[in-house]
Amino acid sequence: MRIFLASSVGVTCAAVLAFPLALPAPAEAGPPAVTSEPAVPGSTQSLPLAPLSGERSLGSAAPEQGLTRRGVRPFSLVGVVWDNPDSELYGRVQVRTRTVANGDWSGWQDVETHNHEHAADPDTAEGASGRVRGSTAPLWVGNSDGVEVRVQAEEDERATAPGDSPLPRGLHLELVDPGADAPPAGAPPAGAPPAGAPVGDPRLSALEGAGVDDPHVGQLSPEAAVTSAVNADLAPLGALEIPALSQEETEREFLAARPGEQRAKPYIGARPRIVTRRGWGANENLRERGFVYTKKVKAAFVHHTASGNNYSCSQAPSVIRGIYRYHVVSSGWRDIGYNFLVDKCGNIYEGRAGGVAKAVRGAHTRGFNTNSMGIAVLGSFGDTKPSSAAVQAIARLTAWKLGLYGANPRGKTYLTSGGGNLYQKGKSVRLNVISGHRDGFATECPGKLLYGKLGSARKEAAGYQGR
């Protein structure tokens, strides 16, 4: 039995802790759930899967594993993880959940099994940390308090040699409660010191005299203050959003930040409104401290989260908090993998911490996280069309962010592969400046119907840049 504990320096794993838990009345008896960080917003229940279909004697080598129907503490997002991040799950993962609202059980829902292509590059500190686990994509199911899961290996995998396991070892079901919504403007986050209290973090000394209007500094935890500070040129410390600028205002801001450069009219789109990490309610104590940067942003990779389309735009911050917790606590990443996220209404959200205008290294496109950014649209787009608002948001975001680095959204660029299943490490690869995830890694992401809209996004983004 595992429990994940958060600290100010990241997420650590403590083993073999057992204690009695008070659960809602279960539909069927089952082992208690393990929860994490009960004192902070959100939690993760991690349940080990067991053999199904009378194959318990096979243990971890059973070709069908899962959990029978049972009651658990409330959660809204599910996924399955396993020990070795380099092992693939060849098979089918399905879940049924019980809604809190009326107690009804859903039908079986498929969980996207291949998620290792959304990951840090193999030879980076994040990829080689030893904390990373294999994982499915997360699935948003809404507020639920019951679950049933089955994982079935493909027939070809069942024909392995005796003693081999057709499924990855260490399968666990992760049930994520994203916690409450973000506080209203001006309200301190949960666990923050009272207004006016000294923050007491030496890293904040760099903020003194920075010319930032700082009414929230006493209401922010040290990690939240430092995370907000990297956007200080764009919004006040602790702001819930970075406001949109007009084309003229964006150009003035761009040129003012480069006083020594040639002051020609830049090819840059108007800065869009971006909801900050504080705006969607990120718990900054979950992620690793510090930020990791690359030299520039030469390309944008577009993704879908494969988390399903059954969410409202008012729920998008909760979905993002669930994905963030799943990436960090369950999958072992240093932070959420994507640099930006977009919902079906076209709202844009800051993803991985480090500053929305900066070249932050993400964990979105294995092999191509250097000198790129990852944009994930919330949802699944294999058979569902993305909204026009989401496609337009991709265009507006890339017109601005790529424009900061002089990149043409309709152009081509070269990136060096860090290693993946399409290109060997060290290979220089010619890619569209706005590419789909599948252009850098053999995957269905971002879904065929979103991938088919990237030509329109490139054309619109170039137009926003004035090309």
Side-chain angles (χ1 to χ4, degrees):
M1 188 174 291
R2 302 180 299 162
I3 180 168
F4 299 104
L5 303 173
S7 71
S8 61
V9 294
V11 179
T12 58
C13 179
V16 198
L17 290 179
F19 45 90
L21 299 170
L23 295 174
E28 292 184 16
V34 180
T35 189
S36 68
E37 307 96 356
V40 298
S43 64
T44 302
Q45 301 172 70
S46 185
L47 302 172
L49 302 193
L52 297 176
S53 304
E55 297 175 325
R56 295 188 178 277
S57 62
L58 296 176
S60 61
E64 295 185 13
Q65 299 181 37
L67 294 173
T68 55
R69 187 182 295 193
R70 67 199 57 218
V72 292
R73 278 189 297 273
F75 66 96
S76 297
L77 181 140
V78 304
V80 172
V81 301
W82 53 91
D83 294 340
N84 186 351
D86 294 323
S87 295
E88 292 225 38
L89 196 165
Y90 294 105
R92 191 176 192 184
V93 177
Q94 294 181 299
V95 298
R96 298 181 64 198
T97 56
R98 183 177 65 192
T99 180
V100 169
N102 56 23
D104 288 343
W105 283 86
S106 71
W108 287 105
Q109 301 182 76
D110 286 306
V111 179
E112 173 60 52
T113 58
H114 301 295
N115 195 45
H116 75 288
E117 63 265 25
H118 303 82
D121 292 349
D123 292 337
T124 61
E126 181 177 6
S129 68
R131 295 189 301 272
V132 180
R133 287 174 288 279
S135 59
T136 68
L139 177 68
W140 178 260
V141 295
N143 194 17
S144 306
D145 63 1
V147 70
E148 182 178 5
V149 61
R150 61 191 184 195
V151 181
Q152 300 168 314
E154 291 179 354
E155 290 299 325
D156 289 347
E157 295 299 306
R158 299 181 188 215
T160 55
D164 288 345
S165 176
L167 293 170
R169 295 186 182 275
L171 290 170
H172 279 71
L173 176 67
E174 305 288 293
L175 305 176
V176 179
D177 170 17
D181 287 335
V199 176
D201 190 303
R203 293 171 298 159
L204 298 181
S205 61
L207 305 179
E208 296 177 2
V212 179
D213 183 16
D214 191 64
H216 302 294
V217 69
Q219 298 177 338
L220 296 175
S221 67
E223 261 337 294
V226 171
T227 301
S228 294
V230 291
N231 291 317
D233 291 342
L234 311 180
L237 199 68
L240 301 184
E241 66 178 54
I242 294 167
L245 295 182
S246 68
Q247 186 75 41
E248 183 179 355
E249 290 171 329
T250 303
E251 291 175 0
R252 284 203 304 265
E253 179 183 75
F254 177 85
L255 294 171
R258 296 159 176 80
E261 298 180 11
Q262 183 179 356
R263 299 181 67 83
K265 183 178 177 65
Y267 289 112
I268 183 172
R271 188 177 80 197
R273 170 183 172 269
I274 302 172
V275 178
T276 65
R277 288 173 64 91
R278 189 179 182 224
W280 54 260
N283 175 5
E284 300 298 349
N285 289 323
L286 284 182
R287 65 171 180 83
E288 286 187 10
R289 280 191 174 187
F291 315 111
V292 179
Y293 299 101
T294 60
K295 292 182 178 180
K296 58 183 67 176
V297 179
K298 298 172 64 177
F301 287 97
V302 177
H303 305 255
H304 67 172
T305 58
S307 51
N309 304 305
N310 189 27
Y311 73 94
S312 65
C313 292
S314 63
Q315 292 176 311
S318 294
V319 177
I320 296 170
R321 288 197 304 277
I323 294 172
Y324 170 47
R325 179 173 282 273
Y326 184 71
H327 282 180
V328 176
V329 176
S330 300
S331 301
W333 301 358
R334 74 185 315 272
D335 194 351
I336 193 170
Y338 311 112
N339 298 103
F340 296 93
L341 300 101
V342 173
D343 68 23
K344 64 178 70 174
C345 292
N347 297 304
I348 301 169
Y349 302 84
E350 177 184 15
R352 179 161 288 207
V356 297
K358 302 181 187 299
V360 179
R361 177 186 284 159
H364 48 84
T365 306
R366 184 167 182 163
F368 292 101
N369 291 304
T370 295
N371 295 334
S372 72
M373 68 175 182
I375 304 167
V377 181
L378 298 180
S380 303
F381 302 105
D383 300 308
T384 300
K385 292 181 179 179
S387 69
S388 58
V391 176
Q392 186 180 62
I394 293 170
R396 290 190 178 279
L397 174 59
T398 52
W400 171 71
K401 182 65 180 278
L402 292 172
L404 293 175
Y405 295 87
N408 181 350
R410 298 187 78 172
K412 304 280 188 178
T413 191
Y414 285 90
L415 295 177
T416 300
S417 172
N421 64 1
L422 274 182
Y423 303 104
Q424 64 183 10
K425 181 178 179 180
K427 182 176 177 60
S428 181
V429 182
R430 189 169 184 255
L431 294 160
N432 287 310
V433 167
I434 298 179
S435 285
H437 185 184
R438 63 177 63 181
D439 295 321
F441 201 97
T443 173
E444 293 298 314
C445 184
K448 63 182 178 182
L449 297 184
L450 177 54
Y451 188 76
K453 292 291 186 180
L454 296 188
S456 298
R458 295 182 191 110
K459 181 178 179 180
E460 286 188 45
Y464 291 139
Q465 285 189 349
R467 296 182 186 270

